[in-house]
Amino acid sequence: MMISYLVVAFSIFVTCYTRSRNCIDDFDIDIKESQGYNYPIPHSYESEYWSELQTEYKVTRKMSWSRNFYIFGKFVDESAAGGDDTIISAGLYRGDELIYKTIINCESGTWENWILDKKTEQERILLHGKINKTVSCKTGDDFDLILKNDNDRLANWILNAQPLQHEVRKFSKKTNKISEGKRQIRTGILRPKVKVDSKYSTFNATRFEFTATGRAVFDRFAFGQCDAWPKNMEMQCQKVREWIHARSKANMTEETLAQLQSTPDANFTRGLGTFGNNMESFIPTCLTKKYFNWFQGTVHPDRETPMYPGEPANKEKRAYCCCTNMKTGRVFEDDPEKNCISTPTCITLGWTCVRAYDPVVGGEIYEEGKKEH
């Protein structure tokens, strides 16, 4: 039987966790009540909080703040399934009305994305497809489902690094960069072909609900403008790096992947390109397979990070740099106010984060290096 309950968001905006960086919320779900969750989206009733007007270079435009929804779970044995089919569903809602949801059926090996039609106000399928071989619904296996919400009509579902989307569109648009009195044109922009053309925009959503039947149960949820990864990956920096990369917007060629075979990133996949979660530049950097670098120069930004005009050349500047715990990857001393600043300021001040360097870990790395040589 499916159980649903309500959670209230307690966390402050820049809370950082062992298994995520800069999320608004990141919490475990009680396994006894793990087949339904109704999450009230923070600031959902504040007009244009997630989408507002900004002026750059004397040009006013609508700026969207992307959001990340992370669901983690596992498949239990048949005795706990109660005879029901194993189905996972998650979606954005405005009150009781659907905006956008996905339904994953493990029995049929299929997925469907649904919206609320503007004209008929009836729910209808927007996209559908097959679950690929990288997604397993076997007992004991873990699963993760991510919704990357880029703007008011763009949202991508990702199941175990498989995008539940297909086909892209290419277009050009005016940028905020002015040259000789004219706004410059950026060409070759790629986006998912299908827009979420629902009755309400994705930023009108007041809640995010996810439910499961059969053998699927949830054990954790995270939300924010952030990166998150599975639990219990302390001292496994390279695995965290690979996990985030596989779900990122990276779009590597065969040539690039071949060049990585002699590096610690030999297990990298292509990435998901247009259908990915976050930019690959925000992936954690590692000192070894076990340990995170104590200095992370590009941590995922949020609404508090200053905007830098002149896209796309200056996009990498819109990030945080953070002093980092070398074992867990979390912000040093769990204090982002003290240990994170904007990347341009970080460069100007010459931050090196010496205070976050762990000499015990450094000694271990040194001894291992001597053995290898």
Side-chain angles (χ1 to χ4, degrees):
M1 183 175 66
M2 187 169 64
I3 304 171
S4 295
Y5 62 98
L6 183 69
V7 61
V8 178
F10 294 103
S11 303
I12 61 172
F13 194 77
V14 292
T15 301
C16 293
Y17 300 83
T18 303
R19 60 257 178 119
S20 64
R21 301 188 303 184
N22 209 26
C23 287
I24 295 174
D25 275 304
D26 185 344
F27 50 79
D28 294 334
I29 297 173
D30 188 340
I31 199 70
K32 295 178 181 178
E33 301 177 301
S34 60
Q35 286 198 301
Y37 221 97
N38 185 16
Y39 176 75
I41 299 173
H43 307 286
S44 61
Y45 289 101
E46 296 178 33
S47 177
E48 297 186 338
Y49 181 88
W50 294 106
S51 182
E52 61 187 29
L53 295 177
Q54 289 202 349
T55 301
E56 300 175 75
Y57 285 129
K58 300 181 180 180
V59 176
T60 300
R61 67 169 181 168
K62 190 175 184 180
M63 174 61 64
S64 298
W65 305 100
S66 64
R67 311 183 296 190
N68 309 78
F69 299 80
Y70 297 90
I71 304 168
F72 296 89
K74 63 186 65 177
F75 297 101
V76 296
D77 59 43
E78 295 289 348
S79 63
D84 295 329
D85 287 348
T86 299
I87 298 173
I88 302 167
S89 179
L92 292 167
Y93 293 82
R94 181 174 178 81
D96 294 330
E97 293 185 279
L98 171 68
I99 295 177
Y100 191 43
K101 71 178 178 182
T102 191
I103 300 175
I104 299 148
N105 190 319
C106 280
E107 313 305 328
S108 62
T110 59
W111 58 266
E112 299 174 347
N113 294 345
W114 290 68
I115 64 170
L116 184 65
D117 188 80
K118 284 183 177 180
K119 295 180 180 179
T120 66
E121 297 194 6
Q122 299 294 314
E123 294 183 12
R124 66 174 177 85
I125 293 178
L126 181 65
L127 293 169
H128 61 88
K130 291 283 188 179
I131 299 173
N132 66 32
K133 294 181 180 179
T134 63
V135 180
S136 170
C137 296
K138 294 180 181 178
T139 297
D141 285 350
D142 296 326
F143 68 85
D144 58 271
L145 180 61
I146 300 171
L147 177 64
K148 175 63 172 183
N149 185 190
D150 282 302
N151 61 44
D152 56 359
R153 298 294 173 185
L154 181 60
N156 302 327
W157 296 102
I158 304 168
L159 175 66
N160 283 26
Q162 177 191 350
L164 307 187
Q165 303 273 337
H166 45 72
E167 298 187 25
V168 299
R169 60 189 177 95
K170 183 183 289 188
F171 63 97
S172 301
K173 73 172 184 178
K174 292 181 178 180
T175 71
N176 287 341
K177 187 176 181 180
I178 305 296
S179 178
E180 297 180 354
K182 296 181 179 179
R183 292 174 66 182
Q184 298 300 292
I185 304 295
R186 181 183 171 194
T187 61
I189 300 171
L190 297 177
R191 293 288 186 273
K193 186 174 182 179
V194 178
K195 294 183 179 181
V196 183
D197 198 22
S198 188
K199 178 181 177 181
Y200 301 107
S201 105
T202 58
F203 288 155
N204 289 142
T206 58
R207 62 189 185 90
F208 182 74
E209 182 180 76
F210 47 103
T211 59
T213 59
R215 294 177 292 106
V217 297
F218 306 117
D219 55 22
R220 178 178 157 224
F221 174 73
F223 168 74
Q225 297 171 290
C226 60
D227 278 312
W229 56 87
K231 292 190 297 183
N232 304 319
M233 294 184 78
E234 290 80 3
M235 297 174 65
Q236 297 184 61
C237 181
Q238 187 59 34
K239 287 187 177 180
V240 171
R241 182 174 167 82
E242 291 167 4
W243 191 95
I244 295 176
H245 170 85
R247 292 152 179 78
S248 75
K249 294 184 183 293
N251 190 15
M252 293 190 168
T253 63
E254 289 296 332
E255 181 181 2
T256 301
L257 291 175
Q259 293 172 353
L260 292 177
Q261 293 309 299
S262 59
T263 75
D265 293 330
N267 292 328
F268 267 17
T269 61
R270 283 179 175 273
L272 302 183
T274 301
F275 303 120
N277 186 24
N278 291 327
M279 300 298 292
E280 58 183 318
S281 57
F282 302 134
I283 298 172
T285 56
C286 304
L287 283 179
T288 66
K289 287 186 176 180
K290 290 171 60 175
Y291 297 118
F292 294 80
N293 196 317
W294 66 87
F295 174 81
Q296 300 288 332
T298 52
V299 174
H300 198 289
D302 55 31
R303 294 179 79 259
E304 305 304 316
T305 318
M307 294 297 298
Y308 291 90
E311 57 181 357
N314 291 327
K315 276 193 170 182
E316 70 275 8
K317 293 184 179 180
R318 189 171 184 269
Y320 286 114
C321 76
C322 297
C323 302
T324 302
N325 184 298
M326 296 172 68
K327 294 181 179 180
T328 67
R330 67 176 179 250
V331 174
F332 186 60
E333 296 179 337
D334 296 321
D335 189 349
E337 291 189 7
K338 180 180 177 181
N339 291 296
C340 291
I341 57 175
S342 71
T343 295
T345 303
C346 181
I347 294 171
T348 299
L349 296 179
W351 264 32
T352 57
C353 289
V354 174
R355 60 184 176 278
Y357 176 76
D358 186 331
V360 175
V361 171
E364 180 182 327
I365 294 172
Y366 175 73
E367 291 300 323
E368 288 181 358
K370 286 201 304 183
K371 291 178 181 178
E372 291 177 359
H373 295 86

